[in-house]
Amino acid sequence: MSLKHILKIIVKHRNISLMILIQIAIAVTIVGNASFISYGTLKNWLIPSHLDEYEILNVYTKVFDNQVDKSALIQRDLSNLSALPEVTQVTYASNELVLATVSGSNQVYKTTDQEEAGIENAQFDITSEGVATLGLTITQGRDFYPNEFVFAGSDQGRFASVALISEALAKSLFGEQSALGQTVYLQRARLPYRVVGVYANKMLGESAVYEQHWYHSTIVPQAQFGSTDVNYLLRVKKGTSEAILKDVEDALYQQGGRIVERVEFAARAKKRLWDGRSTFAFIMIGISVIAVAVTTFGIIGLVSFSVSIRKKDIGILRALGASQSTVLKTLLIENALLAMAGILLGSFAALWLNNYFVTHLRAQGLVEPWLAVMVAISVWLLSAVAVYIPVRKAAKIAPARVTKT
């Protein structure tokens, strides 16, 4: 049977044809977006942190006693933690802990223009051993001088004047120009800091990573204290066991008026960073499986119904000399055309919906062409398998049985 006649049959039974087409389009839209989002989320696990994840510890504490002298407390803690045999460097951390957000307001700007949109950034305020604790490699410029460090209460209005920035942030802000000597403006207050050095990329604060600015970070030589949070970063010797976590807690519990919330390796913080998002990805995969199952049974039901109301037409076709294989081929081509139309419609809908998710909901699901092709082929094969059972049964209809009336 010619393609022209097959198209006429589709038009004649347009209601059922349209339902099959829409069912396939919906499946492509759902499965396509779920695949983009799941792939975009799960592949984040493969992005290297460039951190010594099992040699850096995050230490979270809170001071609940307002009478505690935080300046003296921090100095005492730094001394006690440095005394632990496994600890090689320790720094106070005002704003961020490695791959875990303490402050969510970290933005970096090129100017003081209030209309300028900031770039998400991990800002690390550190004391003298901070660069060594994070394991930074300075590729341009220099490290901080001792007289550039500021240690002050957050109510004193004293801030450092210089900063180190990552290579990725330097490129985002200044392109191919040198970042050395440039001024960057940090946080909503847009405090000015002169760039004195650039360091090799490290995956640091969670807020920057969440915005897919994997290696945007800034190191500032200042320790601002005053809030209840008093946190530290520690570097320990390679191969140090988890027993160090208990030793750190014991060292900090010697001070009354505060609690130790958590001590963890950076590797654990990184895992926690992706736990919630990977769960979301697996949920999307589950939704895809349900959509595929519903589409399969829906197509089987619709094609079976279509065949049941076309028995006489098929019988007449057989009576006129058409073989079973000819009838089977005709019905398969008919449904293949509907599947192709549904895939095209669903692909356009999936692209539009994906753009909406990425733009408005910050989903990590940019379109991957090879993945889109795989989804299209998979849905087309699924539809072919779904129609084969009822179509094969229809091809076996005996002409005498359906034409005798």
Side-chain angles (χ1 to χ4, degrees):
M1 186 177 289
S2 67
L3 182 61
K4 180 179 178 180
H5 286 91
I6 294 175
L7 292 174
K8 284 184 176 180
I9 293 173
I10 292 175
V11 173
K12 180 180 178 181
H13 300 279
R14 55 184 172 274
N15 290 336
I16 293 179
S17 299
L18 185 61
M19 291 174 68
I20 294 174
L21 186 151
I22 292 174
Q23 184 118 23
I24 293 173
I26 291 174
V28 171
T29 302
I30 295 174
V31 175
N33 270 289
S35 300
F36 298 148
I37 292 172
S38 299
Y39 177 77
T41 301
L42 295 177
K43 78 174 183 178
N44 291 336
W45 285 343
L46 304 178
I47 297 173
S49 69
H50 301 306
L51 287 167
D52 301 316
E53 296 176 11
Y54 290 95
E55 296 174 40
I56 298 177
L57 297 182
N58 289 336
V59 180
Y60 306 74
T61 80
K62 281 189 180 297
V63 177
F64 58 83
D65 186 351
N66 293 330
Q67 303 304 314
V68 172
D69 182 344
K70 293 188 180 66
S71 175
L73 171 67
I74 293 169
Q75 298 284 12
R76 218 166 26 246
D77 285 343
L78 291 174
S79 177
N80 291 339
L81 292 171
S82 296
L84 295 175
E86 299 88 351
V87 175
T88 57
Q89 282 92 24
V90 59
T91 179
Y92 175 68
S94 299
N95 286 14
E96 295 261 6
L97 294 176
V98 173
L99 292 175
T101 295
V102 175
S103 172
S105 61
N106 296 336
Q107 299 278 325
V108 60
Y109 306 87
K110 287 183 65 175
T111 70
T112 56
D113 183 1
Q114 295 299 317
E115 300 299 321
E116 178 193 357
I119 298 176
E120 202 69 38
N121 170 57
Q123 178 182 332
F124 279 74
D125 292 357
I126 59 168
T127 47
S128 59
E129 293 186 354
V131 170
T133 302
L134 290 168
L136 303 183
T137 301
I138 297 177
T139 57
Q140 298 177 46
R142 61 173 176 82
D143 197 348
F144 300 123
Y145 295 140
N147 62 353
E148 290 174 330
F149 286 91
V150 172
F151 188 81
S154 56
D155 59 344
Q156 295 179 17
R158 293 175 55 204
F159 302 95
S161 60
V162 296
L164 300 175
I165 66 175
S166 64
E167 291 176 338
L169 182 58
K171 187 171 183 179
S172 294
L173 290 173
F174 307 111
E176 298 304 319
Q177 294 181 0
S178 173
L180 298 181
Q182 303 274 12
T183 299
V184 295
Y185 299 88
L186 301 180
Q187 300 200 359
R188 294 192 182 97
R190 304 195 186 220
L191 299 173
Y193 295 87
R194 180 170 53 87
V195 178
V196 296
V198 177
Y199 54 86
N201 290 329
K202 300 277 187 181
M203 184 184 287
L204 298 177
E206 176 183 353
S207 57
V209 172
Y210 183 75
E211 295 293 330
Q212 301 179 56
H213 297 303
W214 312 112
Y215 305 115
H216 281 189
S217 56
T218 307
I219 309 298
V220 181
Q222 63 189 24
Q224 301 289 331
F225 53 88
S227 68
T228 58
D229 294 326
V230 177
N231 303 308
Y232 303 96
L233 290 170
L234 281 66
R235 175 171 285 271
V236 297
K237 296 176 182 177
K238 190 173 183 178
T240 298
S241 71
E242 291 195 357
I244 186 63
L245 306 181
K246 179 70 165 53
D247 294 339
V248 170
E249 287 187 5
D250 290 343
L252 294 174
Y253 272 129
Q254 295 175 15
Q255 169 66 46
R258 64 112 167 264
I259 58 173
V260 180
E261 287 193 325
R262 185 165 62 245
V263 180
E264 64 182 5
F265 280 101
R268 178 67 187 90
K270 184 182 179 184
K271 181 179 183 301
R272 193 173 69 252
L273 173 66
W274 299 125
D275 276 349
R277 288 158 215 175
S278 60
T279 300
F280 176 69
F282 290 128
I283 290 173
M284 295 301 292
I285 293 173
I287 292 173
S288 296
V289 172
I290 295 172
V292 167
V294 171
T295 300
T296 302
F297 289 112
I299 292 174
I300 291 174
L302 288 170
V303 174
S304 298
F305 178 69
S306 175
V307 167
S308 69
I309 64 175
R310 293 164 59 183
K311 281 185 178 180
K312 191 168 184 177
D313 292 343
I314 296 172
I316 293 172
L317 190 62
R318 290 292 313 283
L320 292 174
S323 63
Q324 287 188 17
S325 61
T326 299
V327 174
L328 180 63
K329 180 181 177 182
T330 300
L331 293 173
L332 287 175
I333 292 175
E334 176 186 331
N335 284 280
L337 291 174
L338 292 174
M340 289 174 62
I343 289 171
L344 286 174
L345 179 62
S347 297
F348 282 115
L351 291 173
W352 177 86
L353 196 59
N354 180 263
N355 181 67
Y356 178 84
F357 285 157
V358 172
T359 303
H360 299 283
L361 302 181
R362 297 182 178 181
Q364 298 179 0
L366 294 176
V367 175
E368 296 282 349
W370 66 269
L371 189 56
V373 171
M374 283 189 62
V375 169
I377 293 174
S378 299
V379 173
W380 187 84
L381 290 174
L382 171 70
S383 65
V385 171
V387 303
Y388 182 77
I389 298 172
V391 164
R392 186 168 179 271
K393 185 177 179 181
K396 294 181 179 180
I397 294 175
R401 183 163 61 87
V402 296
T403 58
K404 64 184 178 180
T405 57

